[in-house]
Amino acid sequence: MGHNDIMNTAEDFADQFLRVTKQYLPHVARLCLISTFLEDGIRMWFQWSEQRDYIDGTWNCGYFLASIFVFLNLFGQLSGCILVLSRNFVQYACFGLFGIIALQTIAYSILWDLKFLMRNLALGGGLLLLLAESRSEGKSMFAGVPTMRESSPKQYMQLGGRVLLVLMFMTLLHFDMNFFSILQNIVGTALIILVAIGFKTKLAALTLVIWLFGINIYFNAFWTVPAYKPMHDFLKYDFFQTMSVIGGLLLVVALGPGGVSMDEKKKEW
């Protein structure tokens, strides 16, 4: 079996998967995408005092402002999740969740931790894809005036979302010299490049979903660590943030790469 035959078989599988799951795949994608916000909002409720004391101790801002911070995180994340899942005011929910990401990036000093910053940017990429999905195809700033599909804001949101999503995989690269790490780096890098440029996008994104889900279950199994240990919360945070990136990739699988992509350009050639 030649290279083209293997690629055609893989693409046929991806198309068949999409046909079978197209009714509920976007719903699963949205649930996965907001899962980290849902988990963090619930954690704010149960760890109100700990979070308040941490912010007060870090920024010396007093209990009142620290409590406001915790409340904004709790209310903003849970309300945003409800709006996204109910498909009401999704664009406002996305902007609110963008604000939460920015707020946490500053409050928890994520700005100076490259790994966590890249993961937060990847999470923002998922929200950008969700925002693009929520936009009506027919909307235009100039009613009645035809516009090029490639130049519409939605297409560039999809491009930006794809590019930001791949930052998650850059945090998973290992610079060991053993065969498995080298193979994983080569295959993973090839797949993230394909998603970023929008070539064989659905197949590449679906492969990354499978790969990332396996890594997530294996390395971030927080349920195997007692809840009283700090590692439990660390792994839980990593697990749900990874699930959100998986949700973004599932949106790419369900909706395609958009107009600014090699897949779309191929149709014009």
Side-chain angles (χ1 to χ4, degrees):
M1 182 178 288
H3 175 265
N4 288 337
D5 293 333
I6 295 174
M7 287 299 299
N8 289 335
T9 301
E11 288 182 315
D12 288 342
F13 170 78
D15 289 338
Q16 180 63 28
F17 172 82
L18 190 56
R19 281 193 294 271
V20 172
T21 62
K22 65 180 181 180
Q23 297 296 328
Y24 52 86
L25 187 60
H27 302 289
V28 174
R30 287 190 290 270
L31 178 60
C32 289
L33 205 157
I34 58 94
S35 62
T36 190
F37 298 105
L38 186 61
E39 184 276 332
D40 197 50
I42 294 172
R43 183 164 58 87
M44 289 290 171
W45 175 266
F46 287 103
Q47 296 182 3
W48 180 287
S49 298
E50 293 92 329
Q51 295 296 323
R52 180 198 60 201
D53 293 344
Y54 174 82
I55 294 298
D56 182 32
T58 302
W59 294 96
N60 196 27
C61 58
Y63 269 26
F64 177 73
L65 289 179
S67 297
I68 292 296
F69 170 84
V70 177
F71 174 77
L72 286 175
N73 275 271
L74 187 154
F75 179 77
Q77 291 184 101
L78 293 184
S79 61
C81 291
I82 291 171
L83 291 176
V84 168
L85 291 178
S86 64
R87 308 298 294 144
N88 292 311
F89 304 105
V90 175
Q91 295 188 28
Y92 295 107
C94 288
F95 287 127
L97 294 175
F98 275 126
I100 294 294
I101 292 176
L103 184 64
Q104 291 188 352
T105 298
I106 296 171
Y108 294 113
S109 301
I110 291 173
L111 197 61
W112 315 117
D113 188 316
L114 184 60
K115 178 180 178 180
F116 284 103
L117 178 61
M118 292 172 72
R119 291 193 171 196
N120 266 17
L121 289 172
L123 188 57
L127 286 177
L128 205 55
L129 290 168
L130 183 61
L131 187 60
E133 186 229 3
S134 70
R135 292 180 63 91
S136 173
E137 282 285 342
K139 283 187 178 179
S140 171
M141 288 178 61
F142 305 100
V145 178
T147 57
M148 293 180 65
R149 180 178 51 177
E150 290 82 355
S151 64
S152 70
K154 177 177 178 179
Q155 311 305 324
Y156 289 105
M157 286 180 188
Q158 290 177 288
L159 172 63
R162 295 199 318 269
V163 172
L164 288 175
L165 274 182
V166 304
L167 294 177
M168 167 62 81
F169 298 91
M170 294 177 66
T171 69
L172 300 176
L173 297 177
H174 300 285
F175 297 99
D176 303 326
M177 294 308 295
N178 64 71
F179 175 76
F180 179 76
S181 292
I182 293 173
L183 179 63
Q184 177 177 291
N185 289 346
I186 292 173
V187 174
T189 302
L191 289 171
I192 64 177
I193 290 174
L194 290 176
V195 170
I197 66 176
F199 182 66
K200 306 286 185 184
T201 317
K202 292 184 179 181
L203 175 60
L206 183 59
T207 305
L208 283 174
V209 165
I210 296 170
W211 178 42
L212 191 55
F213 184 75
I215 289 176
N216 201 27
I217 293 295
Y218 183 78
F219 287 107
N220 295 325
F222 65 89
W223 52 88
T224 64
V225 180
Y228 62 85
K229 292 189 175 181
M231 183 57 69
H232 176 89
D233 283 343
F234 178 79
L235 292 177
K236 192 175 184 181
Y237 171 83
D238 255 14
F239 179 87
F240 283 103
Q241 197 168 54
T242 305
M243 288 302 298
S244 290
V245 175
I246 288 174
L249 286 169
L250 286 174
L251 279 180
V252 174
V253 175
L255 305 173
V260 187
S261 64
M262 290 189 66
D263 285 342
E264 194 67 22
K265 294 298 181 184
K266 280 170 54 183
K267 299 175 183 178
E268 302 173 6
W269 296 345

